[in-house]
Amino acid sequence: MSEQPWLPTLITSTPQEGYELAIKLSRMGVKSTQPNVELLKKMRPDYAENADSLTKASQVIAINFQTVAAANNYWK
Amino acid sequence: MSEQPWLPTLITSTPQEGYELAIKLSRMGVKSTQPNVELLKKMRPDYAENADSLTKASQVIAINFQTVAAANNYWK
Amino acid sequence: MSEQPWLPTLITSTPQEGYELAIKLSRMGVKSTQPNVELLKKMRPDYAENADSLTKASQVIAINFQTVAAANNYWK
Amino acid sequence: MSEQPWLPTLITSTPQEGYELAIKLSRMGVKSTQPNVELLKKMRPDYAENADSLTKASQVIAINFQTVAAANNYWK
Amino acid sequence: MSEQPWLPTLITSTPQEGYELAIKLSRMGVKSTQPNVELLKKMRPDYAENADSLTKASQVIAINFQTVAAANNYWK
Amino acid sequence: MSEQPWLPTLITSTPQEGYELAIKLSRMGVKSTQPNVELLKKMRPDYAENADSLTKASQVIAINFQTVAAANNYWK
């Protein structure tokens, strides 16, 4: 993961871009634990078709969005 | 998700509108992982009729509400 | 939920009233996902008689209490 | 719960008293959902003898301790 | 727990000592719910040999570390 | 764990290095509970091939990243 730059800054132009960055951060957290992309694809139905798993995924995004929003002073 | 603007600002007029924005943010977190709306509707009874799932959904809203409330300086 | 005003302010007179507002916010998070009050009542034994469910409910209140306490500058 | 005052202030003399207040807040979150003390006592072995339940209880205390510690400016 | 002083301050000399204090806070959260040390030792394999339980334990430490780090102004 | 220095500072040059530090903090939380590295390796498939476990791991990283990002004033 450290090989390729993927997180040059937490600053984004808009809240929506900030939310997308929060999604990216959440996915990198998964990839840092399981870098095998093929395996991740195989697991996808396990969570993408399970209501509680989707809620959990939304929660991780929410936590990362707190960080991105604070970094951008809430785009005020 | 990036196609249509859905989050122009975190600023709302009232705490209640801020809470509604927190609900929206929580739902977008789910949709970003599972964009298939039909599938989401089919899953609805899995969580909307399960007490623990509802608590988990309320928790994601609470986390997003922290962000929205801070962005609005708590509507003070 | 947007029909009736239920959250005019995050400001309360005392920490205890703030805690009660945190409870209210947690319940509104549940109701926003499942507005059917009869169904919610039927589910009540599922979580009110389950230790882990009660811990989870207490956690959502704790997260909302963080928000309310910050809004009130911790009643200092 | 609103009948008896139990949370007059978030201010404590020491970090340790603050931690004890965090424990109290966590317990009040449980009691607000299940006020039946007899039932709570009966449930006690369900979580007090289960490792994951104890971790969850410790997490709620940690979240409440964040609030109490901030209220006391970290006792600095 | 209130008998013996165990948390005189949140201030530590280094981030690493702060992390160790976060571990201590997490363990005290468990002990406050289950003070029976023998029982806690018996439960140890239940979580120390379970991957999800270890992740949950790490999460409680992370939350307490947020508090300790803020108390120390991030050792800046 | 206290034997070897592993956390001299929370300051990093870039957000990405901060994210890597958050991963390290999350792993140290696991190791502090289960220091047996061989046992941890054996458990790896339990969570690295389970979608919900990966989400939980990503959540702990997200919480630690909040701390590291705040320590670095969001690299602004």
Side-chain angles (χ1 to χ4, degrees):
Chain A
M1 201 170 83
S2 56
E3 314 281 346
Q4 298 172 321
W6 62 274
L7 186 62
T9 179
L10 294 178
I11 305 305
T12 69
S13 303
T14 64
Q16 186 160 332
E17 284 177 28
Y19 197 83
E20 282 157 20
L21 180 55
I23 294 170
K24 186 182 183 178
L25 285 164
S26 306
R27 288 186 182 154
M28 291 309 285
V30 168
K31 273 184 201 161
S32 69
T33 310
Q34 179 49 273
N36 185 327
V37 178
E38 282 314 304
L39 210 55
L40 289 175
K41 275 187 193 158
K42 266 177 67 186
M43 278 184 246
R44 199 178 142 74
D46 293 348
Y47 68 91
E49 297 175 20
N50 179 292
D52 278 351
S53 299
L54 290 171
T55 303
K56 283 173 198 159
S58 183
Q59 178 161 312
V60 182
I61 295 167
I63 295 168
N64 279 315
F65 187 57
Q66 288 191 329
T67 310
V68 176
N72 287 279
N73 196 28
Y74 304 98
W75 299 273
K76 280 193 282 207
Chain B
M1 200 170 83
S2 55
E3 314 281 345
Q4 298 172 321
W6 62 274
L7 186 62
T9 178
L10 294 179
I11 305 305
T12 69
S13 303
T14 63
Q16 186 160 333
E17 284 177 28
Y19 197 83
E20 283 157 19
L21 180 54
I23 294 171
K24 186 182 183 177
L25 284 164
S26 306
R27 288 186 182 154
M28 290 308 285
V30 168
K31 274 185 201 160
S32 70
T33 310
Q34 180 48 273
N36 186 328
V37 178
E38 283 313 304
L39 210 56
L40 287 174
K41 275 186 194 159
K42 266 177 66 185
M43 278 184 246
R44 200 179 141 73
D46 292 349
Y47 67 91
E49 297 175 18
N50 179 293
D52 279 351
S53 299
L54 290 170
T55 303
K56 282 172 199 158
S58 183
Q59 178 161 312
V60 182
I61 295 167
I63 295 168
N64 279 314
F65 187 57
Q66 287 191 330
T67 310
V68 176
N72 288 278
N73 196 28
Y74 304 98
W75 297 274
K76 281 193 280 207
Chain C
M1 200 171 82
S2 55
E3 313 281 344
Q4 298 172 320
W6 62 274
L7 186 62
T9 178
L10 295 178
I11 306 305
T12 70
S13 304
T14 63
Q16 187 160 333
E17 284 178 28
Y19 197 83
E20 282 158 19
L21 180 54
I23 294 171
K24 187 183 183 178
L25 285 163
S26 306
R27 287 185 183 156
M28 291 308 285
V30 168
K31 274 184 201 161
S32 70
T33 309
Q34 179 50 272
N36 185 327
V37 178
E38 283 312 305
L39 210 55
L40 288 175
K41 275 186 194 157
K42 266 177 65 185
M43 278 184 247
R44 201 179 139 74
D46 293 348
Y47 67 90
E49 298 176 17
N50 179 292
D52 279 351
S53 299
L54 290 170
T55 303
K56 282 173 199 159
S58 183
Q59 178 161 312
V60 182
I61 294 167
I63 294 169
N64 279 314
F65 187 57
Q66 288 191 329
T67 309
V68 176
N72 287 279
N73 196 27
Y74 304 98
W75 298 274
K76 281 193 280 206
Chain D
M1 200 169 84
S2 55
E3 315 280 344
Q4 297 172 321
W6 62 274
L7 186 61
T9 179
L10 295 178
I11 306 305
T12 69
S13 304
T14 64
Q16 187 161 332
E17 284 178 27
Y19 197 84
E20 282 157 20
L21 180 54
I23 294 171
K24 186 182 184 179
L25 285 163
S26 306
R27 287 184 183 157
M28 290 309 284
V30 168
K31 274 185 200 161
S32 71
T33 310
Q34 179 51 271
N36 185 328
V37 178
E38 282 313 305
L39 211 55
L40 288 175
K41 275 186 193 157
K42 267 178 65 186
M43 277 184 249
R44 200 180 140 75
D46 293 348
Y47 67 90
E49 298 175 17
N50 179 294
D52 278 350
S53 299
L54 291 170
T55 303
K56 282 174 198 158
S58 183
Q59 179 161 312
V60 182
I61 295 167
I63 295 168
N64 279 314
F65 187 57
Q66 288 191 329
T67 309
V68 176
N72 288 278
N73 196 29
Y74 303 99
W75 297 275
K76 280 192 279 206
Chain E
M1 201 170 83
S2 56
E3 315 280 344
Q4 297 172 322
W6 62 275
L7 186 61
T9 179
L10 294 179
I11 305 305
T12 69
S13 304
T14 64
Q16 187 161 331
E17 285 178 27
Y19 198 83
E20 282 157 21
L21 180 54
I23 294 171
K24 186 182 184 180
L25 285 163
S26 307
R27 287 185 182 155
M28 291 309 284
V30 168
K31 274 184 201 161
S32 70
T33 310
Q34 179 51 272
N36 185 327
V37 178
E38 283 313 305
L39 210 54
L40 288 175
K41 275 186 194 156
K42 265 177 67 186
M43 276 184 248
R44 199 177 141 75
D46 292 349
Y47 67 90
E49 297 175 17
N50 179 293
D52 278 351
S53 299
L54 290 171
T55 303
K56 283 173 197 158
S58 182
Q59 178 161 312
V60 183
I61 295 168
I63 295 168
N64 279 315
F65 186 57
Q66 288 190 329
T67 309
V68 175
N72 288 279
N73 196 28
Y74 304 98
W75 298 274
K76 279 192 281 205
Chain F
M1 201 172 82
S2 55
E3 314 280 346
Q4 297 172 321
W6 62 274
L7 187 61
T9 179
L10 294 178
I11 306 305
T12 68
S13 304
T14 64
Q16 187 161 331
E17 284 178 27
Y19 197 83
E20 282 157 21
L21 180 54
I23 293 170
K24 186 182 183 180
L25 285 163
S26 307
R27 288 186 181 153
M28 291 308 285
V30 168
K31 274 185 200 161
S32 70
T33 310
Q34 178 51 272
N36 185 327
V37 178
E38 282 313 305
L39 210 55
L40 288 175
K41 276 187 194 158
K42 265 178 68 186
M43 277 184 247
R44 200 178 141 75
D46 292 349
Y47 67 91
E49 298 175 19
N50 180 292
D52 279 352
S53 299
L54 291 171
T55 303
K56 282 173 198 158
S58 182
Q59 179 161 312
V60 182
I61 295 167
I63 295 168
N64 279 315
F65 187 58
Q66 288 191 329
T67 309
V68 175
N72 287 279
N73 196 29
Y74 305 98
W75 297 274
K76 280 194 280 206

